[in-house]
Amino acid sequence: MRLSPFIQEGRFMLHIPFPQFSAENTHSDEKALGSLPEWDLTHLYPTPDSAEFRQDFDNAAAKARAFSERWKGTLEAAAAKTGDDGLGAAVEEYEAIGEILGRLGSYAGLAYFANASEPALRKLFGDTSARITEIYADLLFFELELNRLSEDTINSSLQTDSRLAHYRSWIIDLRKEKPHQLDDKTEQLFMEKSMTGAQAFNRLFDQTMDGLRFEVDGKDLPLEQTLNLLSDTKETKRKSAAEALAKTFKANLPTFSLIMNTLAKDTEINSRWHGFEDIADSRHLSNRVERDVVDALTEAVTDAYPRLSHRYYKMKAKWLGMDQMNYWDRNAPLPETAERTIPWTEAKDTVLSAYGAFSPEMADIARRFFDENWIDAPIRPGKRTGAFAHPTVPSAHPYVLVNYLGKPRDVMTLAHELGHGVHQVLAGKQGGLMCSTPLTLAETASVFGEMLTFRALLAETEDKAARKAMLAQKVEDMINTVVRQIAFYQFERKVHTARREGELTEDQICEMWMSVQAESLGPAIKLADGYETYWTYVPHFIHSPFYVYAYAFGDCLVNSLYAVYQNAESGFQDKYFDMLKAGGTKHHTELLKPFGLDASDPAFWSKGLSMIEGLIDELETLDNEE
């Protein structure tokens, strides 16, 4: 059984995309960057100890108790009524309570991820999470009892109760959970035990990772800055960073192995009790995507390894003057890559200009993130690595977190997260229960926004060396998004499958990691000693098992979608905005139909992958002209 929409991943638990290597140099001149914005969480609450924060908690608790007293055990009778006594009224009340809990959880989560090293914020996050779970105990019955109603009863109520009919898509999605739900007491036990189980190990991972330091050339650096050095222009610096990462990861391998073993077992227990056949079926269900569609994607990407990653890294090794690159050279900038720091204002103008060329409305929405302090950009101790966009609740607005260092990939990351933000603003009109887009399609707007920005910059670039550097960087980002994420998914499948036979040793997990990495990266990259530990820092394995294929899904989808846009005479923007506004109210087949696309068709994935191959072809042509 899924968690409530207002405490599940992406709503209460923040969506944390895989940290991209967003800079070639961690020593950007702060003056060159300009003034970097910090988000204003007072839009949600003045302070953690404010009267508004306390009152909302008390209000939510009282409303939840009253909701339970009024509706528990009465839904069968309510289905025969309309108005304030009908099921529609109950769903409205349920959604309204969720709005309050979502705001509380968002505030605590955002404050924590902005500075997880602060003990008071860790306590706020833990206490808020615990109290929301306690309050939700009074609401847990609702979806379970609603799903026990017969199909005839539900269909009849949808026809007679206009207020319930508004939630038709949510009801349809909820009914898909019916075969996997347990009795109320058992579901409540699973929910409450998650606080001392999965949630506790998630926090252990976060706090352990936040506290790690990596010694590079005599300096102790946090994870974000050390990862960024893997894109440094100097090979010696990249090697030093890679070895520092490996040394610290290895020292903490017992802890990370325990976390992985525990959460893999936790996932297996949940799946077994809830009647899921495949280890990833619960993720597929929450994503509203069929297993065979994900299998087709995985097979298409795996078959394309030689044409994509293997081929590209062989070319890159030649450009770097190497027969074989070490793993720390994978994200090295090309020799012709110009080194400069991009000021924040330039990054802002670049993204807004690209968005505006596609749609002025899209740029207007994105501009609000800058003008109204919805973005947190500086790097600081304790801040979450990587980047994310968090929707909060429909009555508020999304927030974006980036770690901006003024490099080209940082501009692409900003474009990516603002795509999420625009999507979340548009989908918010669907309300709390129906605004959340399944993860597979949640990456569509972000990758599309990134593509718009890249294409706009590429069109302005006439110098062959600069164009080659831009194309190479884009290909690497796409390989990281498609090839690397499918390899991550295959690694997870190996780990979770083997965990069913017993606890895994550190060496076993590391061997599984190395096997999928060797297959996906190809012979042009040498996976030297130390790299076997690099699985430890990927947060998705901990926070969102099997999430990672959503990136490949989104990238391939956008590649196909962008091809439609390039060939469309008119009307594309309207269709695109309709897709974003739909939120979670439509299945991917419905959303893609207006564009003539079908993700269930195996040829769909080949079409998306061919765009990456085309960019590699262009790089090869440029290389031959030199």
Side-chain angles (χ1 to χ4, degrees), residues 513-527:
W513 171 258
M514 292 294 275
S515 70
V516 297
Q517 291 299 301
E519 181 185 8
S520 64
L521 297 177
I525 294 183
K526 180 182 179 181
L527 302 179

Side-chain angles (χ1 to χ4, degrees), residues 438-613:
L439 296 181
T440 41
L441 291 174
E443 293 299 324
T444 303
S446 56
V447 178
F448 193 81
E450 196 175 342
M451 182 65 79
L452 288 173
T453 305
F454 166 72
R455 289 293 181 181
L457 290 172
L458 189 66
E460 297 173 357
T461 305
E462 297 181 359
D463 180 77
K464 285 186 178 180
R467 188 176 181 87
K468 178 181 176 181
M470 283 188 65
L471 284 168
Q473 193 169 84
K474 183 60 177 175
V475 168
E476 289 180 18
D477 287 344
M478 295 174 95
I479 287 174
N480 281 339
T481 304
V482 177
V483 171
R484 190 163 168 79
Q485 302 304 321
I486 289 301
F488 284 179
Y489 176 61
Q490 292 173 321
F491 167 70
E492 287 187 283
R493 292 195 62 88
K494 283 177 177 286
V495 169
H496 283 252
T497 299
R499 182 64 180 88
R500 291 186 169 189
E501 304 302 318
E503 185 159 322
L504 303 175
T505 66
E506 298 158 18
D507 288 343
Q508 285 177 306
I509 300 175
C510 291
E511 287 169 7
M512 293 175 192
W513 171 258
M514 292 294 275
S515 70
V516 297
Q517 291 299 301
E519 181 185 8
S520 64
L521 297 177
I525 294 183
K526 180 182 179 181
L527 302 179
D529 289 345
Y531 189 67
E532 73 277 0
T533 65
Y534 272 54
W535 61 269
T536 58
Y537 82 93
V538 182
H540 295 78
F541 301 156
I542 308 305
H543 292 289
S544 311
F546 306 111
Y547 173 95
V548 287
Y549 71 74
Y551 289 111
F553 194 111
D555 196 278
C556 289
L557 189 157
V558 166
N559 288 341
S560 298
L561 195 64
Y562 197 84
V564 174
Y565 166 55
Q566 287 179 310
N567 297 319
E569 294 182 2
S570 63
F572 180 91
Q573 285 86 341
D574 291 337
K575 293 178 184 177
Y576 180 74
F577 268 72
D578 287 342
M579 178 177 68
L580 301 189
K581 290 175 182 176
T585 63
K586 294 182 179 180
H587 189 261
H588 64 79
T589 52
E590 295 179 85
L591 292 172
L592 296 179
K593 189 175 181 180
F595 304 98
L597 300 175
D598 181 6
S600 64
D601 181 358
F604 171 84
W605 302 113
S606 297
K607 184 177 181 180
L609 293 169
S610 67
M611 180 173 283
I612 308 176
E613 195 169 358

Side-chain angles (χ1 to χ4, degrees), residues 188-293:
Q188 183 173 346
L189 178 62
F190 267 96
M191 182 189 68
E192 293 188 11
K193 286 292 290 180
S194 70
M195 293 170 56
T196 55
Q199 289 185 36
F201 278 88
N202 271 248
R203 286 187 64 189
L204 174 61
F205 172 85
D206 290 340
Q207 293 179 17
T208 301
M209 193 59 71
D210 289 338
L212 295 185
R213 292 296 179 267
F214 306 85
E215 185 179 347
V216 182
D217 298 337
K219 295 182 179 180
D220 287 337
L221 302 177
L223 178 64
E224 181 82 21
Q225 292 185 350
T226 312
L227 287 173
N228 285 332
L229 288 174
L230 295 179
S231 295
D232 196 87
T233 55
K234 297 178 181 178
E235 198 267 344
T236 54
K237 182 71 73 174
R238 298 194 299 271
K239 181 180 179 182
S240 295
E243 291 176 344
L245 288 165
K247 180 180 178 180
T248 301
F249 290 155
K250 186 172 183 179
N252 290 273
L253 201 54
T255 298
F256 290 123
S257 296
L258 172 62
I259 294 170
M260 179 70 90
N261 268 291
T262 302
L263 292 178
K265 184 62 178 178
D266 184 80
T267 299
E268 184 274 325
I269 293 170
N270 273 284
S271 293
R272 173 162 43 85
W273 273 75
H274 289 95
F276 290 105
E277 294 180 5
D278 185 78
I279 52 177
D281 274 352
S282 62
R283 172 63 64 194
H284 302 332
L285 180 60
S286 68
N287 281 348
R288 300 299 180 248
V289 64
E290 298 72 24
R291 189 199 306 171
D292 59 345
V293 172

Side-chain angles (χ1 to χ4, degrees), residues 24 231-233 312 316 319-320 331-340 407-409 463-473 476:
E24 287 87 297
S231 295
D232 196 87
T233 55
Y312 173 75
K316 184 170 183 178
W319 298 335
L320 295 178
N331 286 288
L334 300 188
E336 50 266 77
T337 301
E339 287 191 76
R340 78 178 185 94
K407 301 304 174 181
R409 277 197 176 107
D463 180 77
K464 285 186 178 180
R467 188 176 181 87
K468 178 181 176 181
M470 283 188 65
L471 284 168
Q473 193 169 84
E476 289 180 18

Side-chain angles (χ1 to χ4, degrees), residues 391-448:
T392 71
V393 290
S395 63
H397 56 76
Y399 283 93
V400 161
L401 179 146
V402 294
N403 284 275
Y404 190 77
L405 285 165
K407 301 304 174 181
R409 277 197 176 107
D410 292 323
V411 180
M412 293 298 109
T413 298
L414 180 62
H416 180 103
E417 299 306 335
L418 284 173
H420 277 307
V422 169
H423 193 176
Q424 291 161 358
V425 168
L426 292 170
K429 297 174 184 177
Q430 297 292 344
L433 291 178
M434 297 185 294
C435 67
S436 184
T437 306
L439 296 181
T440 41
L441 291 174
E443 293 299 324
T444 303
S446 56
V447 178
F448 193 81

